[in-house]
Amino acid sequence: MNYYDALYPQLVAMGQERWAAQLQSTLSKQLLLERYGDMPEWLSALEALPQIQPSCIDLQDSVTIGSGSDLGRISSEELITLLQAFHPWRKGPYSLFGVEIETEWRSDWKWDRLLPHIQPLAGRRVLDVGCGNGYHGWRMRGVGADFVLGIEPFLVSVMQFQVMQRYLRDPQHQVIPIGVEDLPANLACFDSVFSMGVLYHRRSPLDHLLELKGCLRPGGQLILETLIVEGDQETVFMPPGRYAKMRNVWFLPSIPAMTLWLQRCGFTEIACVNTNRTSHGEQHATDWMRFESLADYLDPDDESKTIEGHPAPLRAIFIATRP
């Protein structure tokens, strides 16, 4: 499982020799078979995937790899069975040799909302914190990012990334199984840092913002997406228990409060560039994610509220610069 041989020299080229050596020691331990009961099944499915050269690849307008005619002797049904070993598929959608992987989230909708507002990614080194299976990283590569490193602690998502990497074979996009707390302090080497859907899961949101700032080079841009509530600069909602059935939701700021947090953490050029009420079209259960989803999280009699009676999910995208 030498998934990361191409990663270490790239980190060294970025001046991160110590981090490269550290990862070389720790990543192999993260993927030990005995640590994860599902790992043998995932590895078996990964190795059973057909060895095919895709006839076409599109990462700019979608994540499309090959066409159905590339499959040859293997049927679409056989491919679907192998891909379902990596259930649940949360971020996407993907089209793999004519199989449409309808993920829980329409992550492409979020991408379309943020792309017009950020600094062009062409030629940039990007860090994607909490990247899931790397969907947005593929879109970043599609618009010319030079190097994308995603970090994701949930191993099934990392293995879904390896499914796509089996065919895309892109050394400039890597997803590693670590959390943001495992990043070295003050890397100061990324041109753009994305944190989408992470902040409200952190017990200390200001510490998270400072961690992200430390990853950016001076002049680099933060792209942050998070749940918010309506209100003024003093409005921050902390759920007394669960929020939309999630146990680990801590702080939901208003736009003015989030702006103040970013200012206090030393960011400049701060702007909220988009707000969006999560819809059933954007987040829903599918054959590829058969657990509960948004419909189960909202009050069935009043969808402006969660099942607990809190304000329904409202998301905002912020951009900011490390001076």
Side-chain angles (χ1 to χ4, degrees), residues 68-317:
S69 61
D70 297 336
L71 283 176
R73 295 181 179 179
I74 187 172
S75 68
S76 295
E77 290 74 19
E78 291 173 285
L79 179 57
I80 289 170
T81 298
L82 292 170
L83 295 173
Q84 285 285 7
F86 303 93
H87 177 272
W89 289 81
R90 296 195 181 274
K91 292 188 178 182
Y94 292 93
S95 178
L96 183 64
F97 299 116
V99 171
E100 304 301 324
I101 303 176
E102 185 187 2
T103 49
E104 178 188 17
W105 282 93
R106 287 298 305 260
S107 306
D108 52 336
W109 293 7
K110 183 183 297 185
W111 180 251
D112 290 342
R113 289 196 295 267
L114 69 85
L115 189 60
H117 303 288
I118 67 175
Q119 294 174 1
L121 295 178
R124 293 171 82 92
R125 296 168 172 171
V126 182
L127 176 67
D128 189 2
V129 175
C131 67
N133 59 31
Y135 174 84
H136 286 122
W138 295 123
R139 301 300 301 270
M140 294 169 197
R141 288 286 288 146
V143 295
D146 182 63
F147 173 64
V148 180
L149 178 63
I151 64 171
E152 173 55 51
F154 292 103
L155 199 54
V156 66
S157 297
V158 178
M159 298 308 291
Q160 290 171 7
F161 168 80
Q162 292 299 336
V163 169
M164 303 305 159
Q165 188 68 290
R166 183 178 179 87
Y167 300 106
L168 292 170
R169 298 172 184 166
D170 183 359
Q172 303 303 111
H173 184 197
Q174 302 284 336
V175 171
I176 59 177
I178 66 172
V180 63
E181 63 277 2
D182 300 314
L183 288 172
N186 300 315
L187 288 170
C189 64
F190 290 97
D191 303 301
S192 300
V193 170
F194 287 74
S195 170
M196 299 191 291
V198 176
L199 183 75
Y200 48 87
H201 292 312
R202 308 305 295 176
R203 293 181 184 179
S204 178
L206 297 186
D207 285 342
H208 181 62
L209 294 177
L210 290 171
E211 289 169 339
L212 299 174
K213 181 185 174 187
C215 294
L216 284 163
R217 62 161 176 79
Q221 186 177 59
L222 171 67
I223 300 93
L224 184 138
E225 190 255 17
T226 189
L227 290 170
I228 60 165
V229 291
E230 297 177 347
D232 60 19
Q233 195 174 72
E234 298 181 356
T235 303
V236 179
F237 174 58
M238 183 179 189
R242 296 193 183 198
Y243 176 85
K245 296 192 177 183
M246 293 183 286
R247 294 186 182 93
N248 60 340
V249 173
W250 295 96
F251 296 97
L252 278 64
S254 65
I255 292 174
M258 184 74 241
T259 301
L260 178 60
W261 289 359
L262 289 163
Q263 290 172 342
R264 289 295 304 271
C265 290
F267 287 95
T268 60
E269 301 179 75
I270 301 162
C272 177
V273 297
N274 179 269
T275 60
N276 179 68
R277 184 77 62 182
T278 305
S279 69
H280 294 289
E282 187 166 2
Q283 184 189 13
H284 57 281
T286 76
D287 290 341
W288 295 88
M289 203 299 295
R290 300 183 294 275
F291 301 142
E292 289 186 331
S293 192
L294 181 64
D296 306 288
Y297 305 154
L298 300 180
D299 184 333
D301 299 318
D302 182 0
E303 292 198 347
S304 69
K305 299 178 180 178
T306 68
I307 198 74
E308 302 89 0
H310 306 315
L314 175 65
R315 295 177 175 271
I317 298 171

Side-chain angles (χ1 to χ4, degrees), residues 53-58 64-70 95-99 167:
Q53 182 69 32
S55 59
C56 58
I57 293 172
D58 176 24
T64 298
I65 304 169
S67 66
S69 61
D70 297 336
S95 178
L96 183 64
F97 299 116
V99 171
Y167 300 106

